[in-house]
Amino acid sequence: YFKFVGVQIHEIGHNLNLAHSGGLDGRTYTDHTGMMGNPLYSDNVGKMCYNPAKNYQISYDGRGWYDQKYIYDAFPESNGGHWRGTFVGVGEYDKIQDGQYIVAKIESGGSDDLFVGFNRAAGVNADNDEADDLVTIIETGNNGQSYHTSSLKKYIGEGQSFSTGGKTVRVNSIDTSKVPGTADVSICQGSCPEIDDSTDGPTVTPTDTPSIVPSLSPSREPSNPPVPKPTDPTATPIDVPSALPSASPSHSPSTTPSFPPSDPPVPAGGCGDGICGEDETPESCNSDCPIEVLSLNTAKDTKAKFFCFSLEGEKDVVLTDMQFVAAKDKEGEFEILTRRGGVAGYEFDPGAWETHMSMNLKGKKKMKTEKIDIGSEIYIPAGVTQSFCISSKVGVMYGKNNNSVTSMAKSDGNLKIFSGVEMKKMFDKIKGNGDLDVGISYYVVKPGSH
């Protein structure tokens, strides 16, 4: 392991007096947003840095890893308990501008404080393994100033918030279309107000200056003298109306309404609003939660009994089914194993994976299998990687190539699929790399709803 780049950066972190990083599950090493969580085990994958708490520790009080002016160390403050700042990721630190920040500290009043940063997957952080291009919130002890295991509390995207201890972190916007990519973040006592940057300011000057004098002088006298008295009525009123009423109405009433009735109103937040909410599924509201399929069709030139690959959400998605191409005319045991995070570094670590489902599968050589219900649905938030290992007696087909497990094979704008790795048997010697022939069924959900 000592030859792996990730291991070397992890050990350098210890030499900088950095402790390990725990993840959302509370276990040490499972924060894969930074190198002190041991996310990468590979000879050629290692562009990844440390989390915001570690960045603060090696920079505060002029320690010099990052310039002190990019470290915000004053919340809460006296301006109504609301601070707003622009964050840049450490991978683009060389492009940071004055008034932007690498990390902000949220003081708790005790020794356990929160640290906020933008986990931009670019530059020296391009191989980041978890929460790409999201804002991460990390908690650690000793006021973040010395050796202490940190804990990943949450990662959030544009429009999302995280609240704890009476304080809220809200991501107003994220922009990765430029360099450096930025995250606009508010930190507030209580809840954060909605941000509206669309209001136009006042015009600098009036469009026209008023005239100095009236354009015309008033007339000296009325143009005509007033009429001294009303004119006489035209004639004596007549005794009868000028015409008798018609015997029937001019037009018969129509037999049908002129226009069809409008559609019934859609209740806000319910089925039919175009958003797949917390209590909605394709079964309960297909119009809001339509099933999509990301298909990767390959050369199908190689068969594997054990193959691992990764998916990453570009939006929040829920997986429902998978479909593969069988390698043999056979019936046998089929298993799907999974883990939150990437494949790299965990190819030989069975303890990092859990069995998600198993079944008996019947296959026909080089033909698509039936759609396999993965059992309990798997939620993948935007920017998060979820990896899978397929163990199949029937075998699965893939197209062999030299791509690494961090090489994207395809994206449909909602979900990415990456190249994978074949092993001789479960978590054993690697036989080759390639793209699995697979169809992934999923539906897009409201951010943070699942």
Side-chain angles (χ1 to χ4, degrees):
Y1 287 130
F2 72 91
K3 293 183 179 180
F4 293 161
V5 179
V7 173
Q8 294 169 4
I9 300 301
H10 179 96
E11 296 307 321
I12 288 173
H14 284 314
N15 289 336
L16 294 171
N17 202 35
L18 301 181
H20 291 139
S21 299
L24 294 171
D25 59 2
R27 296 163 55 195
T28 306
Y29 296 116
T30 57
D31 173 12
H32 293 168
T33 69
M35 274 298 200
M36 299 314 292
N38 272 356
L40 301 178
Y41 288 91
S42 177
D43 187 44
N44 60 358
V45 178
K47 291 182 179 179
M48 194 169 173
C49 302
Y50 306 120
N51 70 31
K54 311 303 185 189
N55 294 333
Y56 178 87
Q57 183 184 331
I58 56 181
S59 304
Y60 97 100
D61 199 27
R63 289 186 176 181
W65 195 271
Y66 300 107
D67 193 305
Q68 185 68 30
K69 67 182 179 180
Y70 304 125
I71 309 299
Y72 188 80
D73 196 12
F75 189 87
E77 54 182 35
S78 59
N79 64 342
H82 178 202
W83 177 84
R84 183 181 179 188
T86 301
F87 288 79
V88 170
V90 296
E92 295 177 326
Y93 177 67
D94 58 329
K95 305 294 192 305
I96 197 170
Q97 302 169 19
D98 286 352
Q100 297 177 331
Y101 298 93
I102 288 293
V103 58
K105 177 182 179 181
I106 303 177
E107 178 61 56
S108 68
S111 62
D112 294 334
D113 299 314
L114 295 176
F115 298 83
V116 180
F118 180 37
N119 199 29
R120 178 78 174 104
V124 295
N125 200 48
D127 293 333
N128 176 68
D129 192 50
E130 183 178 13
D132 286 1
D133 301 331
L134 299 177
V135 171
T136 55
I137 300 110
I138 311 292
E139 183 179 63
T140 195
N142 297 336
N143 297 298
Q145 299 174 5
S146 59
Y147 190 91
H148 196 284
T149 299
S150 64
S151 176
L152 174 64
K153 304 304 290 182
K154 192 75 173 177
Y155 40 80
I156 52 178
E158 183 171 314
Q160 295 180 315
S161 299
F162 170 70
S163 298
T164 184
K167 301 178 180 67
T168 298
V169 179
R170 174 182 167 80
V171 180
N172 302 313
S173 64
I174 290 175
D175 185 359
T176 58
S177 65
K178 60 187 180 182
V179 178
T182 57
D184 179 348
V185 178
S186 293
I187 304 175
C188 314
Q189 294 279 21
S191 60
C192 289
E194 294 286 339
I195 299 297
D196 183 5
D197 292 326
S198 63
T199 304
D200 295 329
T203 56
V204 178
T205 58
T207 54
D208 294 301
T209 55
S211 58
I212 299 173
V213 295
S215 55
L216 297 172
S217 300
S219 57
R220 297 181 179 274
E221 57 184 17
S223 53
N224 292 305
V227 178
K229 61 179 180 179
T231 59
D232 293 334
T234 56
T236 304
I238 61 177
D239 296 327
V240 295
S242 57
L244 296 175
S246 60
S248 60
S250 305
H251 298 284
S252 301
S254 59
T255 57
T256 59
S258 306
F259 300 98
S262 59
D263 294 332
V266 175
C271 183
D273 66 356
I275 300 172
C276 190
E278 182 176 1
D279 298 324
E280 294 178 322
T281 66
E283 292 75 23
S284 67
C285 187
N286 186 256
S287 62
D288 288 353
C289 312
I291 292 290
E292 311 274 356
V293 180
L294 173 60
S295 296
L296 184 59
N297 299 308
T298 71
K300 307 178 188 65
D301 55 14
T302 311
K303 57 186 177 182
K305 290 185 177 180
F306 193 75
F307 192 94
C308 300
F309 68 101
S310 296
L311 301 174
E312 181 184 316
E314 294 182 87
K315 297 179 182 176
D316 286 31
V317 300
V318 175
L319 307 189
T320 60
D321 304 281
M322 294 187 182
Q323 189 174 32
F324 305 92
V325 173
K328 299 178 181 179
D329 292 321
K330 188 176 181 179
E331 185 172 349
E333 186 180 4
F334 177 91
E335 283 187 315
I336 296 178
L337 297 89
T338 189
R339 69 176 302 272
R340 180 59 59 90
V343 172
Y346 295 91
E347 300 94 328
F348 314 113
D349 184 3
W353 301 80
E354 61 180 31
T355 300
H356 184 73
M357 63 84 67
S358 62
M359 62 177 289
N360 199 55
L361 179 67
K362 186 176 182 179
K364 190 171 182 180
K365 187 176 180 180
K366 290 197 174 182
M367 298 293 289
K368 288 187 181 295
T369 65
E370 61 189 61
K371 279 192 175 182
I372 299 168
D373 187 337
I374 64 172
S376 58
E377 296 177 341
I378 296 176
Y379 169 53
I380 307 179
V384 173
T385 300
Q386 188 81 26
S387 295
F388 300 87
C389 286
I390 308 303
S391 176
S392 175
K393 297 291 185 182
V394 175
V396 292
M397 299 300 297
Y398 75 98
K400 198 166 188 177
N401 56 42
N402 294 318
N403 295 340
S404 75
V405 293
T406 59
S407 298
M408 187 180 74
K410 189 174 181 180
S411 164
D412 65 0
N414 299 325
L415 189 64
K416 297 177 185 177
I417 184 170
F418 293 82
S419 298
V421 59
E422 178 199 357
M423 297 182 204
K424 186 174 182 180
K425 55 185 178 179
M426 190 176 288
F427 303 114
D428 198 3
K429 183 180 179 181
I430 292 177
K431 290 185 67 177
N433 292 62
D435 296 334
L436 183 64
D437 199 296
V438 64
I440 308 292
S441 298
Y442 68 90
Y443 58 98
V444 178
V445 298
K446 181 180 178 181
S449 65
H450 288 61

